[in-house]
Amino acid sequence: MALQRHLFKKALKEAQPRLSHPLSSLCSSSLSSSSSSPSPSAEAPPVLPPFDYHPKPYNGPLADEIFQKRKKFLAPSLFHYYQKPLNIVEGKMQYLFDENGRRYLDAFAGIVTVSCGHCHPDILNAITEQSKLLQHATTIYLHHAIADFAEALASKMPGNLKVVYFVNSGTEANELAMLMARLYTGNLGMISLRNAYHGGSSNTIGLTALKTWKYPIPEGEIHHVVNPDPYHGVFGSDANLYAQDVQDHIDYGSSGQVAGFIAETIQGVGGTVELAPGYLKLVYDIVRKAGGVCIADEVQTGFGRTGSHYWGFQTQDVIPDIVTMAKGIGNGLPLGAVVTTPEIASVLSQKIQFNTFGGNPVCSAGGLAVLNVIDKEKRQAHCHDVGSHLLERLRALQQRHEIIGDIRGRGLMVGIELVTNRKEKTPAKEETAVLFEKLRELGVLVGKGGLHGNVFRIKPPMCFTKDDADFLVDGLDYAMSKL
């Protein structure tokens, strides 16, 4: 992170003359473009699509005061986006508002967490009404909210994935899944992919395989196999060769028996990397023959975001033994879950397994409302429709700008990798930092990922529209034209 901050500051200092156009012209109402429309000229920056909502006047502390207090009282490991951090004070559906009432297109959804939209009325109502009655009691008493939510969630799962454990985050979910795998199989060895992110706790940090997120602590029995990355991977899109590496690790790096294998279907923090087609089916078979269970990390890919399927693992035509989820499950609530089979779930009954806040009435009511909104508003089909439009426009943009090395993903989980040399795929670190700031000036908030921070992560709330997609692409075109 220190290196990234150094490069970021250096790039901004060098690029400052290019970032000096006035912002006032960017705050007017929008005329959106279609996929067949020409990109805006270099003299006319794009403007946000119209949105019939006015934020409430903000009278609270301003960004500078908050930033000073944060630096004084909060952990120094916290990082922030942008040279001048944004003070976001209100959100509505796919938009955020700063302390001055300026509107931004949120193309990152609170790090892929706001699934249905900021302050969605149906979800707010469910949370509010439950809060009036009972906020907390734990599972030592009965309450219908957790049972109703578990039933609804189990109905979304294939096969015999019918038992639900509620937790508070994706890290907790993956921690519990690893515990289940080890107890059920009687083995210790876990396998995860290089470039993976599965959490930052003392155990899940071992599953994570990005040096920027790892501390030098013991990781236990964890093996990191070659990442089946079609763009950067040594075997291209050849799933068979990547799967052979898993077999080699079992044969040469273990007793021949393993506890489990865990993977994201589309790696999130790692830069929106979709696994080589057919990879999981081959690896699941290898792992199960070695006595292990297969875990799908759906923290970012779940709940229809990929458009083509409700769950990311379905894009690889597999059924896991354990599925972990968080983020979009609660639309911003601290909520996660592990879903598994009755047989695997039974191993936890050997001892007391308890989570104080997991499945509390408020989060359960909110989580059930999320599932209902996704169904009622047909958000999976919407992600497919809008995501296809976005990808089509981005691939056209790739033909105009050499800096775009790769466009990848599906639905509303999209990655844009920036390079200085398409043949060598050299990370465009400094250019990414400049474009990141330029997009913010235009009113677009995106995420960054990949080991070198040179991948823009486009993962907005699932109410994101085609007009929003056009504005985002036009903004990228405008910003890249100014490099």
Side-chain angles (χ1 to χ4, degrees), residues 27 55-58 62-63 84 86-89 97-104:
C27 301
K56 296 175 177 62
Y58 176 70
L62 300 181
K84 183 175 175 58
L86 282 174
N87 182 22
I88 297 298
V89 300
F97 299 87
D98 69 12
E99 61 189 25
N100 299 312
R102 184 181 175 187
R103 177 163 59 104
Y104 297 87

Side-chain angles (χ1 to χ4, degrees), residues 50-51 71 87 97 165 190 226 233 243 253 270 275 287 289 292 320 324 328 336 343 350 355 408 442 450 460 477:
F51 187 60
K71 287 193 292 186
N87 182 22
F97 299 87
Y165 286 83
M190 292 291 300
V226 172
L275 309 186
V287 170
K289 286 179 179 176
T324 62
E343 294 77 20
Q350 300 171 24
N355 190 300
R408 53 183 180 253
L442 292 168
D477 188 20

Side-chain angles (χ1 to χ4, degrees), residues 372-388:
N372 291 337
V373 167
I374 291 171
D375 288 347
K376 183 177 74 171
E377 298 181 356
K378 297 180 172 57
R379 286 302 169 201
Q380 180 183 328
H382 181 82
C383 285
H384 177 73
D385 185 33
V386 177
S388 298

Side-chain angles (χ1 to χ4, degrees), residues 246-258:
V246 177
Q247 185 66 65
D248 287 348
H249 268 72
I250 292 172
D251 291 343
Y252 298 103
S254 78
S255 66
Q257 295 286 298
V258 297

Side-chain angles (χ1 to χ4, degrees), residues 14 69 76 93 112 137 217 300 346 367:
E14 294 172 351
K69 191 177 292 186
M93 301 310 286
V112 208
I217 62 173
Q300 294 194 25
S346 67

Side-chain angles (χ1 to χ4, degrees), residues 53-317:
Y53 181 80
H54 298 284
K56 296 175 177 62
Y58 176 70
N59 299 310
L62 300 181
D64 289 344
E65 179 185 344
I66 295 170
F67 191 38
Q68 291 305 313
K69 191 177 292 186
R70 170 167 151 157
K71 287 193 292 186
K72 183 176 181 180
F73 295 108
L74 295 177
S77 59
L78 294 180
F79 65 94
H80 60 82
Y81 274 176
Y82 307 115
Q83 184 182 34
K84 183 175 175 58
L86 282 174
N87 182 22
I88 297 298
V89 300
E90 191 171 344
K92 188 65 176 177
M93 301 310 286
Q94 69 270 40
Y95 296 107
L96 292 170
F97 299 87
D98 69 12
E99 61 189 25
N100 299 312
R102 184 181 175 187
R103 177 163 59 104
Y104 297 87
L105 175 61
D106 182 8
F108 200 30
I111 314 185
V112 208
T113 297
V114 180
S115 48
C116 300
H118 292 281
C119 297
H120 191 290
D122 290 8
I123 300 168
L124 279 184
N125 182 65
I127 294 169
T128 302
E129 291 305 308
Q130 180 56 54
S131 296
K132 292 177 182 177
L133 297 173
L134 181 68
Q135 289 182 299
H136 181 73
T138 81
T139 50
I140 62 174
Y141 306 114
L142 298 180
H143 194 276
H144 72 89
I146 188 173
D148 293 344
F149 184 27
E151 179 183 37
L153 188 57
S155 74
K156 299 293 185 185
M157 309 302 299
N160 201 31
L161 294 165
K162 299 302 177 189
V163 179
V164 182
Y165 286 83
F166 288 115
V167 292
N168 307 288
S169 69
T171 291
E172 273 191 75
N174 287 330
E175 183 106 25
L176 181 58
M178 184 161 51
L179 175 63
M180 287 180 175
R182 286 171 164 167
L183 288 173
Y184 181 71
T185 64
N187 302 320
L188 291 177
M190 292 291 300
I191 300 173
S192 69
L193 300 177
R194 297 175 191 174
N195 199 55
Y197 181 84
H198 296 292
S201 68
S202 58
N203 280 326
T204 58
I205 206 171
L207 299 173
T208 293
L210 288 156
K211 67 180 183 181
T212 44
W213 297 90
K214 294 171 75 72
Y215 294 100
I217 62 173
E219 296 187 357
E221 292 285 329
I222 294 176
H223 308 266
H224 298 110
V225 294
V226 172
N227 193 35
D229 178 349
Y231 183 63
H232 285 288
V234 64
F235 302 129
S237 295
D238 193 328
N240 287 283
L241 292 177
Y242 290 116
Q244 184 57 50
D245 180 63
V246 177
Q247 185 66 65
D248 287 348
H249 268 72
I250 292 172
D251 291 343
Y252 298 103
S254 78
S255 66
Q257 295 286 298
V258 297
F261 168 86
I262 185 170
E264 309 154 90
T265 318
I266 302 178
Q267 293 175 330
V269 174
T272 318
V273 177
E274 187 166 9
L275 309 186
Y279 174 77
L280 286 186
K281 181 165 279 193
L282 295 169
V283 170
Y284 276 23
D285 184 55
I286 290 169
V287 170
R288 284 167 175 157
K289 286 179 179 176
V293 298
C294 300
I295 305 167
D297 182 334
E298 292 285 329
V299 169
Q300 294 194 25
T301 50
F303 303 98
R305 177 166 289 280
T306 63
S308 58
H309 298 81
Y310 199 86
W311 302 109
F313 62 77
Q314 292 170 321
T315 67
Q316 293 259 338
D317 192 27

